[in-house]
Amino acid sequence: MKELDWSNIGFGYMPTDYNVRIYYRNGEWGKLEINSSEMISMHMAATCLHYGQEAFEGLKAFRGKDGKIRIFRLDENAARLQRSCNGILMPELPTERFKEAVLEAVKLNERFIPPYESGASLYIRPLMIGTGPQVGVKPANEYLFIIFVTPVGPYFKGGFSANPYVITRKYDRAAPHGTGTFKVGGNYAASLRASREAHEAGYSAEFYLDAREHKYIDECGAANFFGIKNNTYITPLSTSILPSITNKSLMQLATDMGMEVERRPILEEELSTFEEAGACGTAAVISPIAKIDDPEKDHTYIIAKDGKPGPVSTKLYNKLRAIQYGDEPDKYGWITVVE
Ligand SMILES: *Cc1c(COP(=O)(O)O)cnc(C)c1O
């Protein structure tokens, strides 16, 4: 293989050698299959194509200074996929099967795991789709679970930096008791238009308000929100946001740093009181927020007065990354070392 320019690979899809698949047929999961084709073949009446029976996950493997490969919070991703599947009537893949599949996909594509120094990592994308044919609106009776991996570059190419965000009032991502807490493709379809408009207007991403009242901050299309003030880490409590594993990890680290942690509804107006704020998720860990515009209200919330990431966000970011790359001890059991 031609040597990849690891620090400039960006965030797109790059083919790797293998993907792994497990089929669900006749009420049970089959054995793990290794595949070198990027294609899948399925029935045109598959439920994933018509009725959105699709759920996915996203996690990463990191190569440490010691050369070891570490996967972050594998069990949490297994559990979240089970919850998502449950939410849209797909069969749950047992945790052990999920872990076995992730480890296999990573090991088979070991040559694509970027070196420590690059700041890049291997993105792991598990997904499940309903493949059985239905025309009536019903869950499928056959499913396919796939994992592919692709190397992704460091999120902050020019260094950890703060970005502008925008509140959208024109669009909602998920209803109060809809599928917002499940990691399903349909939520993303619902966010594409708002996301494109935000990007075209020069923002990093759009923030959604609670769909019922448009009063409280929910989350971005693909990242949770947190704010920092008075030594407190505050993140929304809502029935329509996706429980981010990064957010959960940051709450633990904030507690350990002696901060208070609050999960509660956050009124939009409270944005003006935060000393720091960030969007958090697997892709960036933390994307610090410079400002949030609310164009329909003609208001701007300046969060980072100097336009730079704040000290608490920086500390949380560095700490989490250090654990992921194995630079700091894994005292919570978050890491699976690939043997
Ligand atoms: C995946 C996702 C996140 C981030 O979750 P992580 O587990 O931290 O990667 C946040 N919001 C939405 C809507 C998501 O789909």
Side-chain angles (χ1 to χ4, degrees):
M1 183 173 76
K2 198 165 111 270
E3 215 17 65
L4 280 161
D5 181 5
W6 293 113
S7 21
N8 285 304
I9 48 182
F11 241 75
Y13 171 81
M14 180 189 298
T16 54
D17 291 335
Y18 301 101
N19 55 83
V20 299
R21 310 177 182 201
I22 309 177
Y23 289 90
Y24 181 89
R25 295 188 183 110
N26 303 317
E28 59 185 20
W29 290 105
K31 62 176 191 8
L32 184 84
E33 299 178 18
I34 297 167
N35 206 306
S36 58
S37 166
E38 291 167 90
M39 300 298 162
I40 55 180
S41 170
M42 73 174 125
H43 198 289
M44 62 187 175
T47 61
C48 65
L49 300 177
H50 300 260
Y51 305 129
Q53 261 200 315
E54 189 273 350
F56 67 99
E57 272 304 323
L59 63 162
K60 282 178 172 176
F62 304 86
R63 196 185 291 278
K65 217 181 263 173
D66 55 8
K68 285 187 184 160
I69 301 156
R70 292 174 175 80
I71 304 174
F72 189 64
R73 307 209 75 171
L74 196 42
D75 291 275
E76 287 286 335
N77 285 276
R80 189 169 66 186
L81 180 63
Q82 289 164 357
R83 279 208 4 263
S84 297
C85 287
N86 219 323
I88 59 168
L89 295 184
M90 301 201 291
E92 289 179 14
L93 183 70
T95 303
E96 284 314 309
R97 299 299 311 274
F98 180 89
K99 289 166 82 167
E100 164 205 14
V102 170
L103 287 168
E104 192 67 22
V106 170
K107 283 191 234 174
L108 286 166
N109 295 293
E110 196 190 328
R111 70 188 186 100
F112 293 95
I113 307 175
Y116 171 79
E117 298 73 29
S118 64
S121 56
L122 187 74
Y123 186 73
I124 304 165
R125 168 51 60 84
L127 66 136
M128 195 188 300
I129 52 177
T131 49
Q134 290 290 4
V135 176
V137 181
K138 282 195 284 283
N141 38 36
E142 292 190 354
Y143 293 85
L144 170 57
F145 173 74
I146 306 185
I147 300 180
F148 67 81
V149 299
T150 195
V152 290
Y155 195 86
F156 296 103
K157 287 179 208 76
F160 188 54
S161 61
N163 294 296
Y165 285 78
V166 64
I167 287 172
T168 172
R169 293 171 171 277
K170 264 196 324 205
Y171 306 108
D172 296 317
R173 188 188 79 95
H177 299 286
T179 53
T181 59
F182 309 130
K183 206 167 177 75
V184 297
N187 296 336
Y188 278 79
S191 74
L192 287 177
R193 183 167 286 281
S195 165
R196 184 164 72 187
E197 289 180 14
H199 285 121
E200 281 174 356
Y203 298 102
S204 270
E206 73 288 7
F207 266 106
Y208 296 92
L209 299 173
D210 74 288
R212 192 198 306 271
E213 297 184 277
H214 280 187
K215 278 170 64 178
Y216 301 95
I217 297 289
D218 253 3
E219 65 167 328
C220 285
N224 278 186
F225 173 85
F226 69 86
I228 306 283
K229 63 176 172 188
N230 310 326
N231 200 35
T232 308
Y233 180 103
I234 307 166
T235 191
L237 182 66
S238 156
T239 56
S240 51
I241 66 183
L242 195 279
S244 153
I245 295 164
T246 310
N247 196 4
K248 186 173 181 180
S249 310
L250 294 173
M251 286 189 251
Q252 177 67 56
L253 297 180
T255 305
D256 284 14
M257 280 161 45
M259 299 177 70
E260 296 296 318
V261 171
E262 292 177 7
R263 272 186 79 203
R264 57 167 173 78
I266 299 175
L267 278 170
E268 179 187 333
E269 290 69 48
E270 193 175 349
L271 290 175
S272 63
T273 68
F274 290 121
E275 296 152 15
E276 300 177 31
C280 60
T282 295
V285 178
I286 292 174
S287 172
I289 298 174
K291 63 162 185 170
I292 306 185
D293 282 340
D294 185 342
E296 279 116 320
K297 259 193 168 176
D298 198 20
H299 193 84
T300 295
Y301 301 93
I302 306 277
I303 309 246
K305 309 226 164 24
D306 57 0
K308 296 203 184 82
V312 177
S313 305
T314 305
K315 204 167 153 192
L316 285 168
Y317 173 81
N318 287 335
K319 181 86 186 175
L320 189 56
R321 296 251 308 170
I323 296 171
Q324 291 176 328
Y325 281 93
D327 293 335
E328 289 213 21
D330 170 32
K331 64 177 200 183
Y332 313 99
W334 287 348
I335 301 294
T336 303
V337 175
V338 179
E339 306 290 354

